[in-house]
Amino acid sequence: MRAVAILAALTGLAAPVMAQEVGVYTLYRSDPVDRLAAEHVATFDTRQGAGANSETCLTVAGLLEAQPENDRRYWCRPGRVAEGGATD
């Protein structure tokens, strides 16, 4: 019974943290030398939610790729950048 109470308490503490991650989008770019590498550019986490964050991320990615001097690839992924950097 005590284990169930501890598990319920831990789940209750983790739920708000997990809820904050829903709707977050992160923008990445390739490295000009290593085109398979993923570099973190920006994270979009507004109160407007997943739709607005995704749309903004995709818009920024498109604008950056459209620059004539651009030699990188840009893309968006749901969630925050992985701990320790962004690599594929």
Side-chain angles (χ1 to χ4, degrees), residues 23-61:
V24 175
Y25 278 80
T26 300
L27 176 63
Y28 298 91
R29 69 180 176 196
S30 63
D31 183 282
V33 176
D34 181 3
R35 297 200 45 90
L36 297 177
E39 297 177 353
H40 174 248
V41 176
T43 300
F44 301 89
D45 184 11
T46 66
R47 282 186 261 165
Q48 287 77 27
N53 293 330
S54 173
E55 183 178 339
T56 302
C57 189
L58 291 170
T59 299
V60 171

Side-chain angles (χ1 to χ4, degrees), residues 66-82:
Q67 298 299 308
E69 68 279 357
N70 178 48
D71 62 347
R72 296 175 185 231
R73 191 173 55 90
Y74 290 84
W75 67 96
C76 299
R77 289 186 188 156
R80 295 192 182 281
V81 66

